[in-house]
């Protein structure tokens, strides 16, 4: 058992704008703790806490300042937890802080650069690397991804996500067994055998989360996400299985103070916007106070799910994310205060071991049989039916192993069945008799052997002489062959064609078969061909592919508008940048793949040369009647060192290629995600524009003179087809359409289509270009499109 208080770390996010100095300072002291001093700026201190306190001090295990990169965070915070999970303990890492302070950046990572990948992808990479290294155990890894929003749990890896919004999915519910263990119903567990599979699941969950998010449910700031790696391990042959869970938790934004900030003034009234964080705080307070017997875990789903992580069987680490800008001072102070309470909680992590149920069954079956036998003896019940073939065979095996056992204490355990006991005696008697007869025959055959010893010796002597003659002949033939071989080798050395044929041979089979390095070579060669595969055809994540393929279903006009939207969207720069990087990585991987193949060819060539050199040496030794030197000569030494050098180069390049492969996959997933985001924002914008146009018809447009929009079901359908993509969940939620979500169905029956729907998101939140010229171009474009469509509708009436 390991007793440990929850470890607390702080991470300060770099400011968006250049910031004034002196808001905080970090003091690293010798006792392995650091302290963070938050200094209240004068103008805030005046209106805040009674003009008295001007600075606050908080202690953390370590504080990571703005310049700390993701690698440092992983190495110092996540790696130790991942290590204890590999050893069989439960682990939790949770990020706590206000919205925008860097929780998601720390836990999952940034969406732009590969180097920005966060704790989850790095931990997965580390865990799979370790599993691969450890062949002493059999490991199984499963992934689950839970989102808790408004006290309801949703499975982010539910395959039905594509078809519905968050609220339409079956809810994940909590079940408690008699031992008060928590079980989650409807939360799917997905086996991941490689880092790549696990990463795909992470991206799939994140994409599902993004798609389900609407302006009404700002899931990313108000929900908690729990990514869990379930690891079980077992030594081969052992009945004990170890289970460990690692929760990586991105909590909801912790902001609780309403900010209206006239002249930078802050309201001090506390207002909880997230109820489950409030319950989390209550649990933390209860745990940090001594002698509290009741801990209110059951109050919320999140505290129930994380019960073990808080005051239970878990190694838990908290990361307080801080955005230390002037306007966030109060939130930062409250985050630090929360952390100080968390640091008081003591957990007791134990190894979660259990017996393999299959072995348990075998053991219990045996016990039942023994009890039955005993019962039969006690009750005097006699079994009369004959023993089966299998039973007899089993008994005979038992007798044999009993007889062979050298241990004088060993017993013949056949149970209390008299039929078996009788059979054992019979069998032993039979064996004894057989042995007697055999003993006699051995004695007699031994004496016979002695009789015919002399003539046999004579015969053997003759045989040996013959064999000797044969061997002499063979040696002569071999020497002749070697001489010929030597001549051939010398000729070959002078001929230029030798190189070419050698080269070809080495390409086909660079190593002689049966070489111990063959396995590794095959692995390497498959990896380099793989590198070529993904550099040419490109690896696509099949899980995400169908999500990004949405555009193919768009109408032409829709597509044109999307192109413009995409071009002017801020994210398109990131997508284009990543595309460039990806291209570059592809060509790097291709070049590396080629170099690896080249190195392999060289290795084969060198090996061949060494073999040839050997043959020459042997042949030379024979023809000149000299002993072959046991030490390699200079030329051979040179070849060998070249070979070693080439192998080293080969290995280095292979490692690089592996890393490059991971990076390429990660970049591709990032791009897929960015594309889905762009698509979603476009659909939202498109729907909003359409409804705006319906509410107030444009002033300078020929539409002014048109009749009201025809409301026939057919034209309504037609229009919806034009405006909304079938797969567009978001559009369906905002506008009553021919296929409304169950929730909006009620409304759509009573209201006129389109006209009644007001945009739920202000225009300013739509990521337009900021370039009013372009924006109005797009609007004009949409209006013109609608014009065409409406004319078409009228015409068809
Ligand atoms: P939260 O999840 O707490 O709401 P995010 O992780 O989404 O906050 O961070 C908000 C923004 O700040 C994102 O654009 C993110 O990329 C950026 N960011 C956060 N932390 C860092 C950091 N340490 N370095 C660089 N950028 C960061
Ligand atoms: Mg976030």
């Amino acid at each position: 058992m390991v007793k440990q208080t929850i470890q607390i770390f702080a991470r300060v996010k770099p400011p968006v704008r250049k910031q004034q100095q002196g808001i905080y300072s970090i003091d690293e002291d010798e006792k392995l703790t650091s302290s963070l001093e938050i200094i209240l700026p004068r103008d805030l201190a005046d209106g805040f806490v009674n003009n008295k306190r001007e600075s606050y001090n908080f202690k953390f295990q370590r504080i990571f300042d703005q310049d700390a990169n993701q690698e440092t965070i992983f190495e110092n915070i996540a790696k130790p937890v991942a290590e204890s999970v590999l050893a069989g303990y439960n682990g939790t890492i949770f990020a706590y802080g206000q919205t925008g302070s860097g929780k998601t950046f720390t836990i999952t990572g940034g969406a732009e650069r590969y180097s920005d990948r966060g704790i989850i992808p790095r931990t997965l990479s580390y865990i799979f690397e370790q599993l691969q290294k450890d062949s002493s155990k059999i490991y199984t890894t499963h992934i689950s991804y839970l989102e808790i929003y408004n006290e309801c749990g949703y499975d982010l890896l539910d395959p039905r996500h594509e078809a519905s919004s968050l609220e339409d999915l079956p809810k994940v519910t909590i079940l408690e067994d008699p031992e008060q263990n928590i079980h989650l119903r409807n939360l799917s567990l997905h086996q991941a055998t490689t880092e790549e599979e696990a990463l795909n699941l992470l991206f799939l969950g994140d994409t599902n989360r993004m798609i389900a998010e609407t302006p009404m449910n700002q899931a990313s700031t108000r929900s908690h996400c729990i990514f869990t790696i379930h690891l079980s391990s077992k030594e081969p042959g052992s009945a004990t299985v170890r289970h460990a869970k690692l929760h990586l938790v991105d909590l909801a934004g912790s902001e609780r103070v309403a900010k209206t900030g006239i002249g930078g003034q802050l309201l001090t009234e506390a207002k909880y916007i997230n109820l489950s964080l409030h319950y989390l705080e209550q649990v933390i307070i209860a745990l940090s106070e001594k002698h509290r017997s009741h801990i209110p875990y059951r109050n919320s789903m999140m505290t129930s799910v994380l019960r073990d992580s808080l005051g239970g069987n878990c190694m838990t680490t908290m990361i307080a994310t801080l955005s230390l800008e002037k306007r966030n001072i109060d939130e930062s102070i409250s985050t630090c205060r929360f952390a100080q309470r968390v640091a008081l909680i003591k957990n007791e992590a134990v190894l979660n071991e259990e017996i393999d149920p299959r072995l348990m069954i075998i053991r219990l079956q045996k016990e039942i049989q023994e009890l039955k036998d005993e019962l039969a003896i006690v009750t005097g019940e006699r079994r009369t039916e004959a023993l089966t073939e299998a039973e007899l065979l089993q008994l005979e095996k038992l007798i044999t192993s009993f007889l062979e056992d050298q241990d004088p204490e060993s017993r013949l355990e056949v149970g209390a069945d008299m039929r078996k006991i009788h059979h054992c005696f019979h069998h032993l008697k039979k064996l004894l008799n057989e042995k007697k007869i055999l003993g006699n025959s051995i004695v007699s055959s031994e004496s016979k052997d002695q009789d015919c010893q002399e003539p046999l010796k004579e015969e053997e002597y003759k045989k040996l002489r013959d064999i000797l003659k044969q061997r002499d002949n063979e040696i002569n033939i071999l020497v002749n062959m070697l001489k010929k071989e030597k001549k051939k080798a010398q000729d070959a050395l002078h001929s230029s064609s030798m190189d070419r044929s050698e080269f070809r041979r080495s390409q086909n089979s660079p190593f002689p078969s049966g070489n111990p390095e063959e396995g590794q070579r095959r692995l390497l060669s498959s990896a380099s061909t793989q590198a070529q595969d993904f550099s040419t055809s490109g690896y696509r994540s099949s899980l995400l592919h169908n999500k990004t393929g949405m555009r193919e279903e768009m109408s032409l006009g829709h597509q044109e508008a999307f192109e413009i939207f995409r071009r002017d969207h801020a994210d398109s720069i990131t997508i284009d940048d990543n595309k460039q990087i990806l291209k570059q990585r592809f060509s790097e991987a291709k070049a590396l793949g080629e170099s690896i193949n080249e190195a392999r060819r060289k290795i084969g060539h060198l090996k061949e040369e060494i073999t040839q050199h050997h043959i020459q040496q042997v042949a030379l030794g024979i023809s000149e009647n000299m002993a072959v030197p046991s030490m390699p000569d200079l030329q051979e030494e040179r070849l060998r060192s070249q070979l070693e050098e080439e192998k080293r180069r080969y290995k280095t390049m292979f490692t690089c290629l592996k890393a490059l492969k991971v990076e390429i996959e990660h970049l591709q997933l990032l791009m897929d995600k960015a594309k889905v985001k762009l698509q979603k924002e476009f659909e939202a914008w498109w729907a909003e524009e359409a409804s705006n146009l319906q509410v107030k018809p444009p002033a300078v447009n020929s539409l002014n003179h048109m009749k009201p929009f025809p409301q026939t079901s057919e034209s309504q359908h037609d229009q919806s087809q034009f405006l909304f993509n079938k797969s567009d969940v978001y559009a369906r939620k905002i506008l009553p359409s021919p296929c409304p979500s169950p929730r909006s169905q009620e409304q759509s029956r009573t209201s006129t289509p389109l006209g009644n729907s007001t945009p739920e998101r202000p225009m300013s939140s739509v990521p337009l270009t900021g370039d009013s010229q372009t924006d109005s171009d797009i609007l004009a474009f949409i209006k013109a499109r609608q014009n065409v469509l409406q004319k078409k509708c009228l015409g068809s009436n």
Side-chain angles (χ1 to χ4, degrees):
M1 188 197 295
V2 182
K3 286 190 184 190
Q4 195 189 47
T5 52
I6 295 185
Q7 308 283 295
I8 56 164
F9 295 93
R11 183 183 199 182
V12 183
K13 188 195 120 164
V16 182
R17 273 169 264 112
K18 186 128 182 67
Q19 102 160 66
Q20 65 271 48
Q21 293 290 304
I23 281 194
Y24 72 96
S25 69
I26 294 171
D27 186 18
E28 303 270 345
D29 72 22
E30 323 79 57
K31 288 178 291 173
L32 282 173
T33 53
S34 314
S35 62
L36 174 75
E37 188 182 20
I38 300 181
I39 302 137
L40 230 51
R42 275 248 142 252
D43 53 337
L44 285 189
D46 286 343
F48 207 49
V49 271
N50 277 346
N51 291 346
K52 277 183 193 151
R53 273 185 86 168
E54 291 196 343
S55 77
Y56 291 79
N57 238 302
F58 302 101
K59 289 225 177 304
F60 288 92
Q61 243 88 39
R62 227 182 124 171
I63 299 158
F64 296 92
D65 209 352
Q66 301 173 18
D67 51 0
N69 61 21
Q70 299 283 66
E71 174 72 18
T72 312
I73 297 290
F74 169 75
E75 285 290 326
N76 290 280
I77 301 178
K79 200 166 155 185
V81 183
E83 268 160 11
S84 58
V85 170
L86 284 166
Y89 296 96
N90 288 337
T92 298
I93 300 174
F94 68 92
Y96 182 98
Q98 71 184 109
T99 298
S101 58
K103 295 181 297 298
T104 306
F105 186 83
T106 302
I107 297 290
T108 309
E112 290 175 18
R113 282 178 300 269
Y114 177 63
S115 56
D116 281 350
R117 67 203 192 286
I119 286 177
I120 300 179
R122 283 172 199 269
T123 305
L124 287 173
S125 179
Y126 178 74
I127 286 181
F128 279 104
E129 195 186 318
Q130 297 306 308
L131 298 193
Q132 232 174 18
K133 275 188 203 161
D134 182 7
S135 53
S136 69
K137 291 201 191 86
I138 304 158
Y139 289 96
T140 339
T141 318
H142 285 87
I143 304 288
S144 65
Y145 205 178
L146 170 72
E147 174 165 26
I148 302 175
Y149 176 68
N150 261 347
E151 277 307 302
C152 292
Y154 302 99
D155 181 2
L156 287 178
L157 301 179
D158 190 304
R160 282 160 291 189
H161 242 295
E162 287 204 46
S164 38
S165 70
L166 206 60
E167 285 83 353
D168 300 332
L169 279 176
K171 305 229 182 336
V172 175
T173 47
I174 290 183
L175 300 173
E176 208 177 294
D177 66 17
E179 277 93 50
Q180 298 200 322
N181 294 315
I182 295 292
H183 302 276
L184 295 168
R185 199 170 59 188
N186 281 337
L187 182 68
S188 56
L189 275 187
H190 299 256
Q191 185 165 9
T193 48
T194 59
E195 176 187 351
E196 190 186 321
E197 280 174 22
L199 265 186
N200 273 334
L201 290 168
L202 167 69
F203 277 82
L204 177 72
D206 282 345
T207 311
N208 279 336
R209 186 186 190 197
M210 191 163 68
I211 287 172
E213 192 180 52
T214 67
M216 285 308 283
N217 99 34
Q218 275 293 322
S220 59
T221 67
R222 293 189 203 152
S223 69
H224 317 282
C225 274
I226 307 177
F227 184 89
T228 310
I229 306 168
H230 308 250
L231 194 70
S232 47
S233 60
K234 186 171 113 70
E235 275 168 28
S238 154
T240 322
V241 192
R242 279 187 187 172
H243 298 283
K245 272 187 242 174
L246 173 57
H247 294 306
L248 300 167
V249 189
D250 186 355
L251 288 176
S254 65
E255 51 275 3
R256 67 191 75 195
V257 178
K259 270 180 257 181
T260 45
I262 307 164
Q265 223 187 1
L266 294 160
L267 296 179
T268 49
E269 150 211 12
K271 185 179 161 205
Y272 294 101
I273 65 154
N274 194 299
L275 202 61
S276 64
L277 276 186
H278 169 69
Y279 288 127
L280 173 67
E281 196 159 279
Q282 286 196 339
V283 166
I284 302 280
I285 290 171
L287 283 167
S288 58
E289 283 171 2
K290 275 183 194 158
H291 317 302
R292 274 281 288 264
S293 59
H294 175 69
I295 311 292
Y297 290 115
R298 284 209 184 91
N299 279 353
S300 86
M301 178 156 196
M302 213 241 313
T303 47
S304 302
V305 175
L306 294 183
R307 182 156 80 183
D308 261 347
S309 313
L310 308 161
N313 169 20
C314 195
M315 308 259 210
T316 303
T317 294
M318 167 185 170
I319 308 171
T321 53
L322 303 166
S323 169
L324 281 165
E325 290 173 48
K326 194 169 137 189
R327 65 198 160 92
N328 293 329
I329 289 288
D330 53 344
E331 288 298 347
S332 304
I333 290 172
S334 98
T335 298
C336 292
R337 277 195 183 133
F338 181 77
Q340 307 300 295
R341 279 215 186 258
V342 168
L344 299 175
I345 300 174
K346 213 173 234 160
N347 280 355
E348 290 177 2
V350 290
L351 283 176
N352 308 296
E353 289 183 330
E354 86 182 21
I355 305 289
D356 187 335
R358 276 169 305 175
L359 268 130
M360 194 73 158
I361 288 170
I362 293 172
R363 206 175 290 169
L364 288 174
Q365 274 174 341
K366 207 174 150 218
E367 208 176 306
I368 288 172
Q369 191 54 48
E370 278 169 11
L371 287 171
K372 268 187 185 168
D373 291 344
E374 262 179 46
L375 192 70
I377 284 201
V378 171
T379 55
E381 182 195 323
R382 299 207 41 182
R383 297 204 198 158
T384 48
E385 73 272 30
L387 291 167
T388 63
E389 275 298 308
E391 280 172 325
L392 290 175
L393 208 71
Q394 174 73 11
L395 273 180
E396 274 150 36
K397 263 191 205 159
L398 276 176
I399 294 167
T400 315
S401 61
F402 169 69
L403 290 176
E404 280 169 1
D405 196 341
Q406 300 295 323
D407 184 1
E409 301 278 299
S410 72
R411 289 168 52 175
L412 180 56
E413 304 269 11
V414 292
D417 188 338
M418 286 317 284
R419 296 170 306 162
K420 288 186 183 171
I421 294 171
H422 285 312
H423 181 77
C424 282
F425 279 119
H426 276 303
H427 194 72
L428 279 169
K429 189 176 174 185
K430 203 172 105 192
L431 284 180
L432 205 68
N433 284 340
E434 274 171 12
K435 204 165 178 199
K436 258 189 207 156
I437 297 163
L438 200 76
N440 287 342
S441 68
I442 287 173
V443 171
S444 61
S445 74
E446 266 176 4
S447 59
K448 259 186 233 158
D449 275 359
Q450 272 173 354
D451 294 343
C452 58
Q453 220 171 20
E454 284 308 307
L456 223 151
K457 247 186 174 177
E458 182 66 36
E459 214 172 273
E460 205 141 272
Y461 179 67
K462 198 171 163 268
K463 230 190 221 169
L464 283 171
R465 251 199 335 236
D466 285 349
I467 291 174
L468 207 65
K469 227 184 214 169
Q470 262 180 25
R471 293 285 173 274
D472 269 350
N473 277 341
E474 278 170 20
I475 287 169
N476 282 336
I477 297 166
L478 280 170
V479 167
N480 276 337
M481 274 171 71
L482 272 169
K483 277 183 186 163
K484 271 187 207 154
E485 201 56 40
K486 181 196 159 197
K487 196 170 173 297
K488 248 199 250 166
Q490 271 169 346
D491 290 348
L493 266 182
H494 298 300
S495 85
S496 61
S497 66
M498 177 68 186
D499 269 356
R500 260 175 280 139
S501 70
E502 285 265 282
F503 184 68
R504 239 179 284 126
R505 218 184 316 159
S506 73
Q507 253 188 334
N508 292 338
S509 157
F511 303 99
S513 61
N515 188 313
E517 285 163 25
E518 180 75 3
Q520 192 195 6
R521 184 191 68 78
R522 237 182 268 137
L523 174 82
L524 294 178
S525 83
S526 85
S528 60
T529 36
Q530 226 179 18
Q532 282 174 333
D533 282 349
F534 73 68
S535 62
T536 49
S537 64
Y539 163 80
R540 300 294 301 166
S541 148
S542 59
L543 282 165
L544 289 175
H545 186 75
N546 42 6
K547 292 191 186 298
T548 49
M550 286 199 287
R551 249 185 78 206
E552 285 153 26
E553 294 170 33
M554 280 186 192
S555 72
L556 251 168
H558 211 145
Q559 264 188 42
E560 278 175 55
F562 179 73
E563 278 313 312
I564 300 167
F565 184 87
R566 190 192 62 79
R567 196 193 63 204
D568 297 329
H569 195 286
D571 282 359
S572 76
I573 302 169
T574 315
I575 295 179
D576 288 345
D577 281 356
N578 274 341
K579 228 188 240 170
Q580 280 308 318
I581 298 175
L582 205 58
K583 242 189 199 165
Q584 209 179 324
R585 295 288 178 271
F586 269 148
S587 52
E588 278 170 31
K590 204 176 162 190
L592 208 55
E594 276 162 14
S595 309
I596 285 177
N597 278 336
E598 180 58 35
R600 205 174 67 217
R601 275 196 291 275
K602 262 194 197 158
I603 289 172
H605 194 72
L606 282 166
K607 284 202 168 186
E608 192 71 18
E609 261 188 74
I610 291 172
T611 318
Q612 283 300 328
H613 182 72
H614 251 280
I615 292 175
Q616 278 173 38
Q617 290 294 311
V618 174
L620 198 75
I622 289 168
S623 68
E624 285 163 22
N625 240 347
M626 277 180 351
V628 180
S630 57
M631 294 287 284
D633 65 0
L634 266 179
Q635 194 188 347
E636 190 177 334
E637 249 170 34
R638 186 181 52 81
L639 286 172
R640 281 198 186 277
S641 76
Q642 267 180 20
L643 183 70
E644 286 313 309
E645 177 56 33
E646 208 54 50
K647 276 188 186 169
R648 265 196 297 278
R649 221 168 68 84
Y650 188 31
K651 267 194 185 144
T652 319
M653 286 195 294
F654 179 65
T655 317
C656 281
L657 187 68
K658 248 170 102 180
L660 210 55
K661 185 173 177 257
V662 175
E663 182 175 350
I664 285 174
E665 273 157 17
H666 194 99
L667 280 171
Q668 277 172 331
L669 289 169
L670 280 181
M671 268 176 62
D672 280 349
K673 209 160 111 182
K675 278 183 204 161
V676 176
K677 180 168 166 258
L678 193 74
Q679 170 94 27
K680 193 170 132 15
E681 283 177 2
F682 166 72
E683 297 297 346
W685 171 81
W686 176 265
E688 198 173 290
E689 286 310 302
S691 70
N692 274 347
L693 286 173
Q694 288 304 309
V695 175
K696 22 183 183 18
V700 272
N701 198 303
S702 58
L703 284 179
N704 268 356
H705 315 293
M706 287 176 63
K707 287 181 201 165
F709 202 86
Q711 302 295 340
T712 62
S713 61
E714 200 193 308
S715 66
Q716 183 191 327
H717 179 78
D718 194 6
Q719 183 200 30
S720 311
Q721 284 289 311
F722 173 69
L723 287 176
F724 312 115
N725 184 286
K726 260 191 226 150
S727 67
D728 180 9
V729 179
Y730 181 79
R732 256 189 280 147
K733 285 188 73 71
I734 288 202
L735 291 167
S737 69
C739 45
S741 68
R743 256 180 19 176
S744 59
Q745 223 156 9
E746 214 40 52
Q747 288 177 335
S748 64
R749 257 183 238 127
T750 50
S751 61
T752 50
L754 299 173
N756 226 17
S757 45
T758 46
E760 294 179 36
R761 186 158 60 156
M763 187 63 187
S764 61
S765 69
V766 176
L768 286 181
T769 57
D771 172 357
S772 58
Q773 185 57 47
T774 322
D775 293 346
S776 61
D777 282 348
I778 300 172
L779 284 177
F781 169 77
I782 289 170
K783 285 168 198 165
R785 274 274 156 196
Q786 271 200 313
N787 200 354
V788 173
L789 184 83
Q790 285 179 339
K791 273 183 189 157
K792 216 171 100 185
C793 293
L794 287 174
S796 68
N797 272 359

